[in-house]
């Protein structure tokens, strides 16, 4: 019998959700369910790690905004 997963409902902007989905795509280790454009269910035990990784991505984007432009 499969084990039930404990999840946390996360609502965010579409841009943040896109980043979370990209982070999850590396190992499929965070998202339980993708509900809509702004809502995900995340594994509760993985939430602290996901927050840390999301903050790293956002810091890099803010630190070097010129590097992120497609010109």
């Amino acid at each position: 019998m499969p084990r039930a997963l404990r999840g946390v409902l996360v609502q965010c902007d579409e841009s943040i959700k896109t980043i979370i989905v990209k982070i999850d795509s590396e190992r499929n280790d965070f998202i339980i369910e993708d509900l809509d454009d702004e809502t995900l269910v995340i594994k509760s035990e993985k939430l602290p790690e996901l927050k840390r990784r999301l903050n790293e991505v956002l810091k890099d984007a803010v630190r070097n905004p010129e590097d992120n432009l497609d010109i």
Side-chain angles (χ1 to χ4, degrees):
M1 176 183 265
R3 187 178 74 115
L5 295 173
R6 179 168 285 182
V8 176
L9 187 67
V10 174
Q11 292 183 300
C12 55
D13 293 336
E14 286 183 55
S15 59
I16 299 298
K17 181 185 173 231
T18 300
I19 297 169
I20 293 171
V21 169
K22 184 176 184 318
I23 291 170
D24 182 68
S25 70
E26 296 170 9
R27 296 183 303 191
N28 298 319
D29 204 27
F30 297 101
I31 298 174
I32 295 173
E33 190 74 33
D34 185 342
L35 299 176
D36 62 33
D37 290 342
E38 298 178 341
T39 313
L40 297 162
V41 179
I42 302 294
K43 294 177 185 174
S44 58
E45 71 273 6
K46 294 290 191 172
L47 190 59
E49 180 184 350
L50 179 59
K51 284 182 179 181
R52 180 187 58 75
R53 294 194 51 195
L54 181 59
N55 282 329
E56 287 174 4
V57 171
L58 294 174
K59 281 182 196 174
D60 288 344
V62 172
R63 189 175 306 132
N64 301 310
E66 305 85 32
D67 295 343
N68 295 324
L69 296 177
D70 292 329
I71 299 176

